[in-house]
Amino acid sequence: MTERHPPLRYAPSDLIGGEFRPLLAEGANVIRSTDPAEPARELWAGAPALDHVHDAVAAARLALAAWSRFPFDERAAALRRFAEICRDRQTEIATLISEETGKALWDAKTEAGALAAKVDITLDDSTNSGMSRVRGYEFEAGATKTGRCVFRPHGVMAVVGPFNFPAHLPNGHIVPALAMGNTVVFKPSDKTPAIGQLLAELFHEALTDCGAPPGVVNVVHGAGPTASELVGHEGVDGVLFTGSWAVGRKILERNLDTPGRIVALELGGNNAAVVMDDADLRQAAIECVRCAFITTGQRCTCTRRLIVHRAVADRLIPAICQSASALILGHPRANEPVFMGPIITEDARRAALDAQSRMARAGAEVLVESRAIDGPGGGWYLSPGVVRVDRFVPREDPREPGEDVEVFGPLLRVCVVDSLDEAIQQANATRYGLAASIFTKDTGAIERFVHEARAGCVNVNAGTAGASSKLPFGGLGLSGNHRPAGAFSLDYCAYPVAAMIETGTDTMVTPGMRMDDAWLR
């Protein structure tokens, strides 16, 4: 058995019904997680147990009746206890996030801080808050009749998490699910199992402290087979997923015969930033470079496509290239400032470099070449890349350098346009629709772009990788299925039930209907 890695309190384990079940690091299907900055350094290893999926769903089902009947204030108290634990252990959480993802420590600290903040935002009951939309209400429907709407939990929710925000994004599903009375089975990414287990330990501690029944939160580790078993399990009432379109498609296929099961998908993006001829070029350059390469290009909201007006292209594009080339790469926990750490795996690095080569062969001009960098400890470092294409096309076609693919790494493609009409057309030349942004001072251009850009998150004079947890977060097309997360996460964690409540006895006999009181004697 692999020793536990700090700050974990248990050796590699699944959490089922309040019990941590150890996973042996034996056999052909062992999951091993290593530090992307120091790949020889193993953090977590364990072999998934497929039968644990059934046990975890059964445990969640068993806990559901009691947890859903907990008064809301008691569920909220458990979540506030979770937030308190997260704040107390924020440094430990951030360090493990950095170790397992390769994320720069400042970036990991931001993610760790978001765990407690999600609780505060979820439980906020002010105007325009998420909680205000799932608050029951009633009204007079007649002299003796009341109309009432109440919200009920779906039941057992399967949460499948990604590697790029391995704590924050699953937490963004789990917290609202618990708040509304659901129970959870969580499968972390097989690339970040240690953080997934840590999140389980934090919830377990908080729920135990508050007297919740065992099984409210369960965790099962694994790769594709585990995920498939979980999202198609007959005991699951909802699937909440953040990750790639390819996996999201498999989840939809797995649920073709369960139309009543809620499926909320937050998928990838091929996000565009438009810079018009009247933009503040300094602001645009800073925001576009930041959003293209932050988290080593491994955010679903990263700017993948830059669309520049020809009048400013000769000034902006060279500045973008120089700024990208000047970004500081290094060990994510170095003492000096580091913007980018390594990419998650060697395979991910190879995929990004292969994409750059494919685009170059198809005719793209490589302005800044993305290169594999040998870092201390042999980490999977990758420098930023910028390539110029003639146009973007809304389809996958390796013969087109502007093909519609999401390269999940630090690679930015640039094209030049002559008008706002062409800029909007190029921004929408994608099957994805997560994020888009425009840089301009023209209020008319802003109004048009906000209205016409096909994306769920549309920013103005700010980069694509900027979101507020007080707003909805989700996309269109291959980016999601109209179940936005963020402030709207509560909406997919409960369903409304309508009730008409009659307190009188003067029921009218409908025309054509007969009722004789003698028939009841």
Side-chain angles (χ1 to χ4, degrees), residues 167-466:
H168 169 54
L169 289 177
N171 185 67
H173 293 309
I174 296 170
V175 168
L178 297 185
M180 297 311 296
N182 301 277
T183 55
V184 168
V185 180
F186 167 40
K187 193 209 81 69
S189 167
D190 58 311
K191 295 180 178 67
T192 52
I195 300 166
Q197 182 173 321
L198 177 58
L199 196 59
E201 292 183 6
L202 299 174
F203 273 111
H204 176 70
E205 181 180 349
L207 291 164
T208 301
D209 288 351
C210 293
V216 171
V217 171
N218 307 269
V219 174
V220 290
H221 291 283
T226 301
S228 179
E229 184 73 14
L230 176 60
V231 302
H233 196 285
E234 63 182 4
V236 164
D237 301 295
V239 179
L240 313 180
F241 172 71
T242 303
S244 70
W245 155 242
V247 177
R249 187 179 192 280
K250 291 178 181 178
I251 290 173
L252 290 174
E253 290 174 345
R254 195 77 173 83
N255 284 279
L256 286 175
D257 294 327
T258 53
R261 180 179 292 164
I262 191 80
V263 177
L265 303 177
E266 195 276 285
L267 307 174
N270 194 11
N271 313 298
V274 169
V275 181
M276 296 304 295
D277 54 343
D278 65 338
D280 183 315
L281 296 188
R282 182 178 185 275
Q283 181 175 1
I286 291 172
E287 282 291 283
C288 290
V289 171
R290 179 184 68 83
C291 294
F293 304 116
I294 193 168
T295 318
T296 319
Q298 297 172 111
R299 293 192 184 191
C300 56
T301 52
C302 277
T303 300
R304 311 287 182 200
R305 298 178 298 132
L306 177 60
I307 299 160
V308 184
H309 193 284
R310 192 174 303 277
V312 295
D314 288 345
R315 295 168 59 197
L316 181 67
I317 294 175
I320 292 283
C321 292
Q322 287 180 308
S323 181
S325 300
L327 291 174
I328 300 174
L329 281 68
H331 195 288
R333 295 172 298 285
N335 292 326
E336 66 274 8
V338 169
F339 180 79
M340 284 169 50
I343 201 166
I344 187 70
T345 63
E346 183 181 17
D347 287 345
R349 182 168 71 172
R350 186 180 301 110
L353 292 173
D354 286 348
Q356 178 181 250
S357 298
R358 184 177 68 249
M359 293 169 189
R361 289 194 301 271
E365 179 186 2
V366 178
L367 304 178
V368 177
E369 185 180 4
S370 180
R371 297 175 181 270
I373 304 296
D374 293 329
W380 310 124
Y381 294 93
L382 183 64
S383 67
V386 181
V387 300
R388 181 167 174 168
V389 302
D390 289 335
R391 61 176 184 149
F392 295 111
V393 294
R395 61 183 181 274
E396 283 189 63
D397 184 347
R399 298 169 299 178
E400 291 276 4
E403 67 170 327
D404 190 24
V405 292
E406 180 188 29
V407 180
F408 215 63
L411 186 65
L412 175 66
R413 286 180 290 172
V414 183
C415 81
V416 176
V417 296
D418 293 300
S419 66
L420 178 62
D421 286 340
E422 190 180 0
I424 293 174
Q425 183 275 328
Q426 280 289 276
N428 288 336
T430 176
R431 299 159 299 161
Y432 294 87
L434 182 55
S437 65
I438 187 169
F439 293 85
T440 180
K441 299 183 182 73
D442 185 335
T443 55
I446 291 170
E447 184 178 348
R448 271 199 64 191
F449 191 80
V450 170
H451 178 70
E452 296 180 30
R454 291 195 298 270
C457 305
V458 182
N459 296 336
V460 176
N461 294 319
T464 58

Side-chain angles (χ1 to χ4, degrees), residues 46-198:
L50 204 56
D51 60 322
H52 283 188
V53 173
H54 177 77
D55 294 347
V57 172
R61 178 66 57 191
L62 187 63
L64 177 63
W67 178 247
S68 62
R69 287 188 174 89
F70 263 46
F72 176 79
D73 288 347
E74 293 185 26
R75 296 200 301 269
L79 292 175
R80 290 192 177 98
R81 173 60 183 143
F82 168 75
E84 179 183 21
I85 294 168
C86 289
R87 289 189 181 99
D88 289 344
R89 300 185 62 190
Q90 185 170 335
T91 299
E92 295 176 89
I93 298 168
T95 300
L96 185 58
I97 290 172
S98 177
E99 288 178 325
E100 199 166 37
T101 65
K103 190 176 291 189
L105 188 56
W106 64 265
D107 199 359
K109 287 179 178 177
T110 301
E111 179 176 357
L115 299 182
K118 179 61 180 181
V119 173
D120 297 336
I121 291 169
T122 298
L123 299 180
D124 177 19
D125 199 25
S126 62
T127 303
N128 297 328
S129 68
M131 195 59 71
S132 68
R133 291 192 307 280
V134 292
R135 186 191 304 124
Y137 62 91
E138 62 180 46
F139 59 92
E140 289 186 7
T144 60
K145 185 177 291 185
T146 299
R148 180 180 296 170
C149 173
V150 297
F151 287 84
R152 292 179 179 168
H154 290 286
V156 176
M157 305 294 264
V159 174
V160 182
F163 75 83
N164 59 336
F165 283 89
H168 169 54
L169 289 177
N171 185 67
H173 293 309
I174 296 170
V175 168
L178 297 185
M180 297 311 296
N182 301 277
T183 55
V184 168
V185 180
F186 167 40
K187 193 209 81 69
S189 167
D190 58 311
K191 295 180 178 67
T192 52
I195 300 166
Q197 182 173 321
L198 177 58

